[in-house]
């Protein structure tokens, strides 16, 4: 370890070469235990113009809200987030879901928001509004979702995979999936912190595991019904990125972060309706899958923020993927577009897994496209 001067402040560098720029050198912030009186801090979160990055800012509330409808609307400068519409740069943010804040704790909250234009119509980057409309239209079918969010950890620069060799690559894939041991697992402290923070916040996190590529992980959120799926997954992503800050690490949701013979990252989406979960539900599962197959192009365009360009790097037919150009399905087949779990075939009911959504997808766009095809025949 050595000490160097940066902007007249002494900072410490570890063997990784990273800078701890917060000035606390990993120690607890001594001001965070100060009493807040009767005030509440609410951290408003929204999706920016990229369709895949989150922004957020804090405001003070005079009391603990008992319902999201009690929270005030707010606004931000859309010209700084890629969301300005014409000369009017104000974009409104409307609260839609409340979660407990695992970072500030106490009565402080995280607030998931939708974006609206100055004329009070959903902003062009707001995928939630139309998703919610379609979820309401098919709510009698009780669509459930469970999403498997894969991601890759990088060092503080966002350029080097977390704990990979400085001048080379780790050993080939094989021992890392669900691995145990310091030679196989990189970033478990971040993973465990994220899991616990999601549980505290009220996010419906269901599990986690190490993935095929070293420093790549997955966690699952669900089952969630309707619009709740998108709300919970986006907030889980915020919490993950915020936890990683504390470890001087960067989270990448890129669907193919490392070129070559390394697995990409997806957002496998598990789907069922009430009819599929009941006795004889396999008939409804097959019917839905075949309808989705007829809309392969439309689904691919909805499954990443670049209308399929990002996914084209991942869906090659290799590394447990199907080709982006062809639709297929099968039982227990992880090389197909859609997989029917073996247990569901055995029980003749259950759910199916769409393996095409990219890790950087917007879950509102994904789940909306699925119900439009599967439930509404659009």
């Amino acid at each position: 370890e050595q000490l160097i001067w940066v902007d007249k402040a002494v900072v410490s560098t570890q063997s990784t070469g990273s800078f701890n720029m917060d000035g606390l050198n990993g120690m607890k912030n001594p001001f965070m235990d100060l009493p807040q009186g009767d005030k509440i801090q609410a951290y408003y979160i929204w999706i920016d113009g990229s369709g895949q990055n989150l922004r957020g800012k804090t405001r003070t509330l005079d009391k603990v809200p008992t319902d999201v409808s009690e929270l005030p609307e707010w606004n931000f400068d859309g010209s700084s987030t890629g969301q300005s519409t014409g000369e009017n740069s104000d974009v409104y943010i409307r609260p839609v879901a409340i979660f407990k804040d695992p970072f500030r704790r106490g009565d402080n909250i995280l607030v998931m928001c939708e974006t609206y234009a100055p004329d009070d119509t959903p902003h062009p980057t707001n995928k939630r509004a139309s998703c919610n409309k379609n979820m309401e239209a098919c709510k009698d079918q009780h669509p459930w979702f469970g999403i498997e969010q894969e991601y890759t950890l990088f060092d503080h620069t966002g350029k080097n995979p977390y704990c990979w060799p400085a001048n080379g690559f780790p050993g080939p894939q094989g021992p890392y999936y669900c691995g145990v041991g310091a030679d196989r697992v990189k970033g478990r402290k971040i993973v465990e912190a994220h899991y616990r923070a999601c549980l505290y916040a009220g996010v419906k996190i269901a599990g986690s595991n190490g993935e095929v590529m070293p420093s790549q992980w997955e966690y699952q959120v669900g089952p969630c019904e309707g619009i709740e799926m998108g709300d919970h997954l986006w907030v889980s992503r915020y919490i993950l990125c915020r936890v990683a800050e504390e470890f001087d690490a960067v989270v990448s949701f890129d669907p193919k972060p490392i070129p070559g013979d390394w697995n990409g990252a997806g957002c496998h989406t598990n789907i069922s309706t009430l009819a599929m979960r009941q006795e004889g539900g396999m008939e409804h599962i097959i019917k839905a899958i075949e309808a989705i197959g007829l809309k392969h192009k439309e689904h691919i365009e909805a499954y990443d923020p670049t209308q399929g360009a990002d996914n084209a790097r991942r869906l090659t037919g290799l590394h447990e993927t199907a080709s982006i150009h062809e639709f297929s399905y099968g039982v227990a087949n992880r090389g197909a577009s859609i997989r029917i779990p073996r247990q569901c075939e055995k029980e003749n009911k259950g759910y199916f897994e769409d393996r095409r959504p990219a890790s950087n997808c917007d879950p509102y766009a994904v789940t909306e496209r699925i119900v439009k095809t599967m439930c509404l025949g659009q």
Side-chain angles (χ1 to χ4, degrees), residues 38-69:
D38 58 357
K39 303 296 184 181
I40 303 302
Q41 288 177 286
Y43 190 84
Y44 279 43
I45 302 166
W46 71 93
I47 304 159
D48 72 11
S50 71
Q52 54 188 311
N53 296 322
L54 290 165
R55 307 288 181 116
K57 60 179 182 175
T58 304
R59 71 180 299 158
T60 302
L61 304 177
D62 292 329
K63 64 177 183 178
V64 179
T66 58
D67 186 80
V68 70
S69 62

Side-chain angles (χ1 to χ4, degrees), residues 283-350:
E283 174 187 352
H284 298 279
I285 291 173
I286 297 299
K287 182 180 178 181
I289 292 173
E290 292 180 345
I292 289 172
L294 296 175
K295 296 279 187 179
H296 179 62
K297 180 177 181 291
E298 290 86 341
H299 281 253
I300 288 295
E301 290 175 350
Y303 284 3
D304 75 35
T306 58
Q307 292 73 55
D310 283 345
N311 238 345
R313 294 182 285 119
R314 165 179 164 260
L315 297 180
T316 61
L318 302 173
H319 304 108
E320 300 180 89
T321 70
S323 169
I324 195 171
H325 304 295
E326 299 174 359
F327 178 81
S328 59
Y329 72 93
V331 176
N333 185 354
R334 285 176 166 79
S337 305
I338 288 180
R339 177 182 70 95
I340 300 172
R342 181 74 66 190
Q343 188 67 24
C344 294
E345 181 196 44
K346 181 179 179 181
E347 297 179 355
N348 199 34
K349 63 179 181 179

Side-chain angles (χ1 to χ4, degrees), residues 114 122 126-135 227 368:
E114 281 187 308
N126 177 355
K127 306 297 185 185
R128 187 186 188 277
S130 60
C131 178
N132 194 35
K133 180 180 178 180
N134 283 298
M135 291 298 178
I227 197 66
E368 178 185 22

Side-chain angles (χ1 to χ4, degrees), residues 28 32 64 71 91 96-97 105 121 124 131 154 180 195 198-199 217 232 279 289 316 318 321 362:
K28 184 179 178 181
M32 293 308 293
V64 179
L71 292 171
V91 178
V96 294
R105 305 184 188 182
T121 59
C131 178
F154 281 73
V180 178
Y195 201 137
C198 282
L199 289 173
W217 293 84
H232 280 245
E279 293 301 322
I289 292 173
T316 61
L318 302 173
T321 70
D362 184 337

Side-chain angles (χ1 to χ4, degrees), residues 107-128:
D107 290 326
N108 301 305
I109 56 175
L110 304 176
V111 182
M112 189 65 204
C113 299
E114 281 187 308
T115 51
Y116 279 79
D119 62 359
D120 204 36
T121 59
H123 193 274
T125 61
N126 177 355
K127 306 297 185 185
R128 187 186 188 277

Side-chain angles (χ1 to χ4, degrees), residues 35-342:
Q36 298 178 213
D38 58 357
K39 303 296 184 181
I40 303 302
Q41 288 177 286
Y43 190 84
Y44 279 43
I45 302 166
W46 71 93
I47 304 159
D48 72 11
S50 71
Q52 54 188 311
N53 296 322
L54 290 165
R55 307 288 181 116
K57 60 179 182 175
T58 304
R59 71 180 299 158
T60 302
L61 304 177
D62 292 329
K63 64 177 183 178
V64 179
T66 58
D67 186 80
V68 70
S69 62
E70 298 175 6
L71 292 171
E73 291 187 7
W74 207 4
N75 63 76
F76 64 88
D77 173 16
S79 67
S80 297
T81 64
Q83 291 169 290
S84 179
T85 54
E87 295 181 357
N88 194 337
S89 65
D90 282 355
V91 178
Y92 294 102
I93 39 180
R94 184 170 297 169
V96 294
I98 298 174
F99 296 83
K100 294 168 64 178
D101 189 335
F103 306 104
R104 291 166 171 157
R105 305 184 188 182
D107 290 326
N108 301 305
I109 56 175
L110 304 176
V111 182
M112 189 65 204
C113 299
E114 281 187 308
T115 51
Y116 279 79
D119 62 359
D120 204 36
T121 59
H123 193 274
T125 61
N126 177 355
K127 306 297 185 185
R128 187 186 188 277
S130 60
C131 178
N132 194 35
K133 180 180 178 180
N134 283 298
M135 291 298 178
E136 284 295 310
C138 65
K139 65 181 180 180
D140 60 320
Q141 298 182 49
H142 299 284
W144 285 9
F145 302 93
I147 290 184
E148 306 166 24
Q149 175 69 68
E150 295 177 338
Y151 62 93
T152 309
L153 293 173
F154 281 73
D155 68 10
H156 73 290
T157 68
K159 297 178 180 179
N160 306 307
Y162 195 73
C163 294
W164 278 33
N167 297 299
F169 294 88
Q173 296 182 153
Y176 310 111
Y177 173 70
C178 296
V180 178
D183 59 334
R184 303 182 178 193
V185 176
K186 310 299 178 185
R188 192 185 295 278
K189 291 184 178 66
I190 297 172
V191 171
E192 292 296 327
H194 171 247
Y195 201 137
R196 190 63 61 90
C198 282
L199 289 173
Y200 176 90
V203 170
K204 291 186 175 180
I205 188 167
S208 73
N209 58 270
E211 266 302 332
V212 177
M213 186 176 76
S215 304
Q216 186 184 67
W217 293 84
E218 174 189 302
Y219 65 92
Q220 304 88 38
V221 175
C224 296
E225 185 166 337
I227 197 66
E228 184 181 58
M229 184 70 257
D231 294 343
H232 280 245
L233 192 72
W234 274 116
V235 172
S236 76
R237 287 177 176 176
Y238 164 75
I239 293 173
L240 176 59
C241 293
R242 179 65 180 77
V243 165
E245 283 184 31
E246 300 294 327
F247 292 86
D248 206 20
V250 173
V251 177
S252 171
F253 295 110
D254 189 281
K256 187 67 175 179
I258 307 298
D261 195 18
W262 302 99
N263 272 36
C267 231
H268 302 158
T269 302
N270 300 278
I271 307 136
S272 74
T273 60
L274 179 60
M276 296 176 193
R277 297 188 292 271
Q278 294 176 334
E279 293 301 322
M282 184 59 66
E283 174 187 352
H284 298 279
I285 291 173
I286 297 299
K287 182 180 178 181
I289 292 173
E290 292 180 345
I292 289 172
L294 296 175
K295 296 279 187 179
H296 179 62
K297 180 177 181 291
E298 290 86 341
H299 281 253
I300 288 295
E301 290 175 350
Y303 284 3
D304 75 35
T306 58
Q307 292 73 55
D310 283 345
N311 238 345
R313 294 182 285 119
R314 165 179 164 260
L315 297 180
T316 61
L318 302 173
H319 304 108
E320 300 180 89
T321 70
S323 169
I324 195 171
H325 304 295
E326 299 174 359
F327 178 81
S328 59
Y329 72 93
V331 176
N333 185 354
R334 285 176 166 79
S337 305
I338 288 180
R339 177 182 70 95
I340 300 172
R342 181 74 66 190

